[in-house]
Amino acid sequence: MTRDPLRRDVLRTGGVLAGGILLSGLPSSGAASAAPGDDPSSPIAEPAVGRLRGVAEGGVAVFKAVPYAVPPVGALRWRPAQPHPGWAGTRDATAFGSSAPQLYREEGDEVLGHHGSPPFDEDCLTLNVWTPRIDTSKRSVMVWIHGGGFISGSGSLPYYSGETFARNGDLVVVTINYRLGPLGYLYFDEDGAGGNFALTDQLTALRWVRDNIAAFGGDPDNITVAGQSGGAWSVAALAGAGSSEGRPLFRRAILQSPPLGLSVPTRAESLRRTATYLDILGAEDVTELRTMPWQQLVGATVEMFERTSRWGYWSTPFLPVLDGVTLDRNPADLLLRGPGADIEVLIGWTREEANFAFGLSEEYAAATKDQVLARARDTFGGRASEAYTAYQEARPGARPVDVLMDLIGDELFRIPSLTLAERRAARRRPVWAYQFDLPTPAHEGRLAAAHCLELPFVFDNFDQWSGAPFLNGLNPRVRDGVAATMHPSWISFIGTGDPNRRPMPKWERYDQNSRTTMSLDVVTTAASDLAGYWRRLHGPASR
């Protein structure tokens, strides 16, 4: 079987191209129930929506599967999220709820292992809270939005446990589940309600945090929203949402590998993609789709990959839409004007982002120079040969696929992130930049410093990543040393808006003079204009 990134993406995000798809739904848990008495060993929180009984784990209190929105089922499928009305009695919050429906392969994949685990169910709009104590301390808050190419992931994964941040940083941490794939991003232009249903979920969760987090010892006026990949893209998109006073809903943003280079489709473009999806299922319209089981809807993702992929591009079968209701511009622009302009930003990328999708592909390993040059013309036009030579010379012994991967990584992640940093710096808005440079030896080094690799270092919880193949072979001393630098720095930024915390070297804000970018590696150093050559190569003349 050909192992191209399209099929690798399906496998990586849980899809099974042969041997069957696991799409079994299980009922969600955590229903409210009356409690005759409180167990003193179980933490109790009393937010405005209702009383919660959590569990003590790892020295912190955890509240799991807390509903923030009405289940988006039946007539509410493909409708904007509606805030949950709350419950009577004491709700059990000791077990995680269902993850959003998505493709799943039981044996996992060669890079992450798993990025979403059963049970899956449409009744998935829940969040999880970790807090050192239930008191009135007004701790800084981190809300984490998982990535997954808009089709996979879960806020309940052990990868994203808030335990280390809560315990080590005295923070309140929230992770969320939101709709994915066709259930989160199909666009119908129905009743003027817009699209981006996943974005409405995230926004509803964020408002829930603002209104209820004080009951968990958190400060609603000191919230950082952080995310990686599609989650980081979502963080930027949420920056445009303001409170009733016109202020941003959060104070700080951490954008890890945001794919800001995505071309966000217009309504017309999205409707054409929806027509493709309807054709796959043999359905007439959204009314008919609402009668289908979610297993059938999610299963169609496999053929959507087939029909929407393009050679030399990262496959994204479902995308947000510029619907004019929930989103009217590229998310990066929302961090430059309006409520988002006042948000403090930490942004970064990994050095070899695209190796994640292409580095283990047999088909792309056989790519020719002519194929890559043809792809480079999409970006550089008549300067494609010049760009190809530049990328080839930057990596001695580079194969055509290496040039292609570096080009894709720059185009989708690094250059648009640098552009955002440049534009914020020009407006004297606070922004810090980093590049994660530590390569993994897994798969004979073919992944290098790939997309997602920084995540376990940020969370400093390698024990939770034991099933992730891309960490195999890392020297534990090196691994733990880099995490001991990054994790406290993220904690510092969440708490104060400044990532400077020992042992991190002095980390200056990104400005148009020094263009300081922190290189996170075996030896972490502050570099001046780390990617300057590539920033200039991809400048306005390249289009």
Side-chain angles (χ1 to χ4, degrees), residues 307-387:
R307 294 206 194 180
T308 61
S309 67
R310 296 170 60 195
W311 193 93
Y313 288 85
W314 202 308
S315 298
T316 47
F318 299 102
L319 286 168
V321 53
L322 294 173
D323 61 358
V325 179
T326 59
L327 191 68
D328 63 0
R329 69 195 75 174
N330 187 295
D333 293 338
L334 298 172
L335 287 163
L336 298 171
R337 57 181 65 91
D342 294 328
I343 293 172
E344 297 162 326
V345 174
L346 175 65
I347 189 168
W349 53 89
T350 70
R351 189 177 58 205
E352 286 94 9
E353 294 273 7
N355 288 33
F356 177 94
F358 299 83
L360 304 182
S361 165
E362 295 174 6
E363 178 188 350
Y364 277 89
T368 67
K369 179 177 180 179
D370 286 343
Q371 285 179 299
V372 176
L373 277 171
R375 167 64 179 84
R377 290 188 192 101
D378 292 350
T379 303
F380 292 97
R383 297 174 58 238
S385 293
E386 173 191 342

Side-chain angles (χ1 to χ4, degrees), residues 200-221:
T200 72
D201 298 343
Q202 296 161 3
L203 183 58
T204 302
L206 187 56
R207 288 174 172 153
W208 189 100
V209 171
R210 176 197 61 191
D211 296 340
N212 293 279
I213 206 64
F216 300 87
D219 183 355
D221 294 321

Side-chain angles (χ1 to χ4, degrees), residues 10-251:
V10 175
L11 296 175
R12 179 164 298 116
T13 55
V16 176
L17 296 174
I21 298 174
L22 175 60
L23 290 170
S24 59
L26 298 176
S28 53
S29 59
S33 60
D38 293 337
D39 179 351
S41 65
S42 300
I44 296 290
E46 301 195 43
V49 288
R51 200 166 189 258
L52 291 165
R53 183 191 306 279
V55 61
E57 293 179 351
V60 299
V62 190
F63 299 85
K64 304 174 182 178
V66 181
Y68 65 82
V70 177
V73 299
L76 295 183
R77 184 188 275 177
W78 293 303
R79 297 286 187 183
Q82 298 182 12
H84 197 280
W87 51 87
T90 299
R91 185 181 183 92
D92 181 78
T94 60
F96 290 118
S98 297
S99 299
Q102 57 196 273
L103 296 176
Y104 178 77
R105 192 174 82 161
E106 189 170 4
E107 60 268 36
D109 69 73
E110 300 167 285
V111 180
L112 285 179
H114 286 110
H115 199 223
S117 297
F120 303 116
D121 195 271
E122 283 188 89
D123 182 1
C124 63
L125 300 187
T126 61
L127 54 80
N128 313 295
V129 183
W130 287 259
T131 181
R133 285 175 302 282
I134 301 296
D135 56 24
T136 59
S137 293
K138 300 189 72 172
R139 296 174 180 84
S140 301
V141 178
M142 179 179 82
V143 178
W144 177 259
I145 303 180
H146 70 78
F150 307 110
I151 63 168
S152 70
S154 173
S156 305
L157 280 175
Y159 296 165
Y160 307 134
S161 168
E163 180 181 314
T164 50
F165 274 105
R167 185 177 59 244
N168 302 337
D170 195 34
L171 305 174
V172 178
V173 180
V174 180
T175 64
I176 67 173
N177 288 340
Y178 56 92
R179 284 173 280 183
L180 299 168
L183 293 165
Y185 295 99
L186 270 184
Y187 177 65
F188 300 100
D189 198 18
E190 185 183 31
D191 303 329
N196 298 322
F197 305 106
L199 194 60
T200 72
D201 298 343
Q202 296 161 3
L203 183 58
T204 302
L206 187 56
R207 288 174 172 153
W208 189 100
V209 171
R210 176 197 61 191
D211 296 340
N212 293 279
I213 206 64
F216 300 87
D219 183 355
D221 294 321
N222 193 8
I223 295 172
T224 296
V225 184
Q228 186 266 348
S229 193
W233 188 98
S234 297
V235 174
L238 292 167
S243 66
S244 57
E245 297 81 21
R247 297 179 299 159
L249 286 174
F250 49 100
R251 181 177 291 187

